[in-house]
Amino acid sequence: MTLAAPGDGVFEQAGFDVRLDWGERGMANLAPRCGVLVVVDVLSFSTAVDVAVGRGASVLPLRWRDARAAEAAARAGAVLASRQRGAGWSLSPESLSTLETRTLLALPSPNGATLCSLAAGSSATVLVGCPRNAAAVAGAAAAWRAGRPVGVIAAGERWPDDTPRPAVEDLLGAGSIVSALRAVEPLIDVSAEAEVAATAFESYAGALGTVLAESVSGRELRAAGFGADLELAGCHDVSHAVPVLRDGVLRGG
């Protein structure tokens, strides 16, 4: 049921310094009004980007996994990540633990990379966050928001028919960013959506790895033999990397 009229600020969570929404529609709602946007796609784009940037590499986010990805990688002089986990460097965070410093990796992802592409057209500073680098990203967001709101965008996942589905890992990942922002700015005004995510994260922070492993996405990864990716994603504040989107490329801030 929709009661709000377009432009009245309801869907933009007007009046709050920290806002949270989901997916492409949520990005469209918040991007024009925020000074900083934080893309959260825990399993696995955000975690993979954190690992890559933490090793001194850069990431070219690509929304496609077809011939267009190869063409974009070639134009940028980037190494194209494999479409398949377990076949060299890929969307698997564990595979990027051997990524060489100064590598430019073209990384296709239908969720996190797509959100980065959408956010690139806004005036906001675009960051990529997850529980691993929550405190570092929150500190940068607080420093760079210049009095404007911070929009935290949880990517969510996809059903087999490519329609969006909620994802508990991104609720908790977004909550980790909001919780860290409140630690940096205790008096910051947080929307109800962001508050719920932060409360969920704070409730499960001590069991984050277990919750991720038992989530639908986590069980899917475990069944495919990628438990190591879950271990990396389940770490909290172990990274100081702040991936910032500049000229279409994610680099350390």
Side-chain angles (χ1 to χ4, degrees):
M1 179 173 64
T2 300
L3 298 177
D8 67 5
V10 172
F11 297 118
E12 294 82 7
Q13 300 168 38
F16 294 100
D17 297 319
V18 182
R19 310 174 185 189
L20 184 148
D21 214 324
W22 287 83
E24 295 179 40
R25 189 63 178 270
M27 176 68 78
N29 284 340
L30 299 189
R33 295 155 184 87
C34 292
V36 174
L37 294 163
V38 183
V39 172
V40 179
D41 182 4
V42 175
L43 298 176
S44 298
F45 178 77
S46 293
T47 302
V49 168
D50 172 74
V51 171
V53 171
R55 291 188 58 80
S58 302
V59 175
L60 174 67
L62 300 174
R63 64 171 73 192
W64 320 287
R65 296 183 179 181
D66 55 21
R68 290 172 294 179
E71 292 168 4
R75 285 196 303 270
V79 178
L80 180 62
S82 171
R83 293 179 59 182
Q84 301 297 322
R85 290 176 184 260
W89 295 332
S90 70
L91 194 57
S92 163
E94 193 274 336
S95 76
L96 303 183
S97 62
T98 60
L99 195 62
E100 298 172 2
T101 301
R102 293 187 293 279
T103 298
L104 175 58
L105 181 72
L107 187 63
S109 162
N111 299 310
T114 296
L115 292 178
C116 286
S117 297
L118 293 173
S122 75
S123 63
T125 298
V126 181
L127 310 178
V128 171
C130 60
R132 293 177 55 85
N133 65 354
V137 166
W144 295 340
R145 72 186 187 93
R148 298 177 66 195
V150 175
V152 182
I153 310 297
E157 280 293 344
R158 302 273 176 175
W159 293 110
D161 65 359
D162 204 40
T163 54
R165 71 168 173 84
V168 67
E169 66 271 16
D170 292 341
L171 175 69
L172 297 176
S176 72
I177 304 297
V178 177
S179 180
L181 273 165
R182 290 197 302 195
V184 175
E185 293 191 54
L187 299 181
I188 203 166
D189 290 325
V190 175
S191 73
E193 289 76 9
E195 179 69 41
V196 168
T199 299
F201 170 74
E202 290 161 6
S203 296
Y204 289 101
L208 182 61
T210 299
V211 175
L212 294 187
E214 293 303 322
S215 70
V216 171
S217 302
R219 293 169 68 186
E220 182 181 27
L221 284 176
R222 284 194 291 126
F226 294 101
D229 287 347
L230 288 166
E231 293 178 13
L232 288 169
C235 296
H236 181 219
D237 281 346
V238 297
S239 170
H240 299 291
V242 180
V244 186
L245 189 67
R246 296 191 180 99
D247 298 323
V249 175
L250 290 160
R251 300 180 173 90

